[in-house]
């Protein structure tokens, strides 16, 4: 008699065998970009969730993802799946997923996609889904601040287990744009490394990350050791001038996750307490310029927060008040600069 596990896999393969041709043929035409708009994207993901939850392994397993282009149309892609995320593998019942698409199967209007990071609900509860949605919102706020932003796409996901437990989950999550796709879009190149001389780091860009991190209450980043930052430089310049790109915001005060703590290099007592962890400067030019930049997008920030209907209005108002407190500080620039001078760091 066929085991339950193999019966599920047989039915799964049979169900989607008719769609596999379209998945292969998609390479002959361009698939729409995942990141060109903010409309909720519906997908189904089939893989060995039993092992994913139990072992949280970085070993890949086979699966398939179904992308619903419309209520009447879908496309199936073969993928390999594994757990990812150093901290979240320890924290999460359902850790984040790396999707590795079959070679030459997913050509989008913005380039070839090989790997996609999927941020999951982490734990099956409304509270943890709200954490995930708040982190997604932070990525959208960073897009208002800098052109060098990893874009995201919010997802409605049906997970189907082809492992032993045969469970299914219906949750939200989001894709994160691969860095190589962002560099193509911004005409930059990735720079790998953990330690850079101060002279090659773009000070204004680094301070912009520090301002944004202060705004959202995030100390879980550091240019030294490349902690939750990636590095790029202009593609058409031989001289290295490195720009830091922040990511991974679940420890921010705006999210206020129950498991989050301030970083060891921060003097903050709680994650909701703002602490400026940017590098100290012996000049104020960057500070004043960035205050102007952030003031110029104030209304856009509020609008992005209040229009984010995937969080209930009470949660949106709480985030709004948290950000308003930041802008109240900016509106007294001399006092704000004195404050960050008292908490800034002597090195990156």
């Amino acid at each position: 008699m066929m085991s339950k596990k193999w019966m599920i896999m047989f039915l799964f393969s049979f169900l989607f065998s008719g769609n596999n041709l379209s998945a292969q043929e998609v390479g002959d035409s361009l698939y729409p970009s995942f990141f060109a708009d903010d409309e909720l994207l519906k997908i189904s993901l089939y893989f060995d969730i039993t092992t994913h939850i139990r072992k949280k392994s970085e070993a890949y397993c086979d699966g398939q993802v179904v992308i619903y282009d419309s209520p009447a149309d879908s496309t199936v892609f073969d993928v390999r799946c594994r757990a990812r995320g150093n901290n979240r593998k320890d924290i999460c019942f359902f850790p984040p997923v790396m999707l590795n698409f079959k070679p030459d199967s997913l050509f989008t209007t913005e380039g070839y996609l090989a790997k996609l990071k999927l941020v999951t609900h982490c734990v099956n509860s409304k509270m943890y889904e709200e954490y995930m949605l708040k982190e997604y919102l932070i990525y959208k706020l960073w897009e208002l601040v800098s052109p060098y932003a990893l874009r995201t796409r919010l997802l409605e996901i049906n997970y189907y287990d082809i492992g032993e437990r045969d469970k299914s989950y219906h949750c939200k999550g989001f894709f994160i744009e691969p860095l190589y796709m962002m560099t193509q879009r911004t005409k930059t190149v990735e720079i790998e490394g953990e330690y850079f001389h101060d002279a090659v780091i773009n000070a204004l860009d680094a301070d912009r990350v520090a301002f944004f991190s202060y705004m959202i209450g995030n100390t879980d980043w550091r240019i030294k050791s490349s902690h939750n930052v990636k590095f790029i430089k202009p593609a058409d310049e031989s001289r290295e001038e490195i720009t830091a790109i922040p990511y991974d915001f679940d420890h921010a005060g705006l999210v206020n996750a129950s498991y989050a703590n301030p970083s060891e290099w921060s003097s903050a007592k709680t994650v909701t307490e703002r602490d400026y962890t940017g590098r100290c400067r012996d000049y104020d030019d960057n500070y004043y310029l960035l205050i102007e930049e952030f003031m110029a997008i104030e209304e856009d920030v509020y609008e992005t927060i209040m229009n984010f209907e995937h969080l209930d209005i009470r949660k949106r108002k709480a985030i709004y008040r948290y950000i308003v407190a930041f802008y109240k500080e900016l509106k007294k620039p001399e006092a704000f600069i004195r404050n960050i001078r008292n908490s800034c760091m002597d090195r990156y």
Side-chain angles (χ1 to χ4, degrees), residues 298-335:
E298 180 181 12
E299 294 305 319
D300 293 330
V301 169
Y302 296 152
E303 183 178 347
T304 300
I305 293 168
M306 296 308 295
N307 288 344
F308 187 57
E309 296 181 353
H310 298 285
L311 287 170
D312 68 44
I313 189 62
R314 185 172 58 88
K315 298 294 182 182
R316 281 178 273 164
K317 286 182 176 179
I319 294 170
Y320 172 85
R321 290 192 295 270
Y322 188 71
I323 298 300
V324 164
F326 164 75
Y327 273 103
K328 284 183 177 178
E329 292 188 48
L330 286 195
K331 290 170 184 177
K332 298 179 180 179
E334 289 78 14

Side-chain angles (χ1 to χ4, degrees), residues 223-284:
I223 289 178
K224 174 189 176 183
S225 76
S226 65
H227 182 69
N228 287 338
V229 291
K230 298 290 186 180
F231 301 103
I232 61 172
K233 78 175 190 70
D236 57 353
E237 293 184 13
S238 58
R239 183 176 70 88
E240 285 192 353
E241 187 176 52
I242 296 172
T243 290
I245 310 298
Y247 68 97
D248 202 353
F249 303 111
D250 66 312
H251 279 250
L254 188 152
V255 176
N256 197 18
S258 58
Y259 57 81
N261 293 294
S263 297
E264 61 184 33
W265 48 81
S266 170
S267 62
K269 300 298 187 293
T270 66
V271 291
T272 56
E273 178 186 347
R274 288 188 170 91
D275 181 28
Y276 188 82
T277 53
R279 195 188 188 288
C280 296
R281 305 294 180 196
D282 56 7
Y283 53 89
D284 294 339

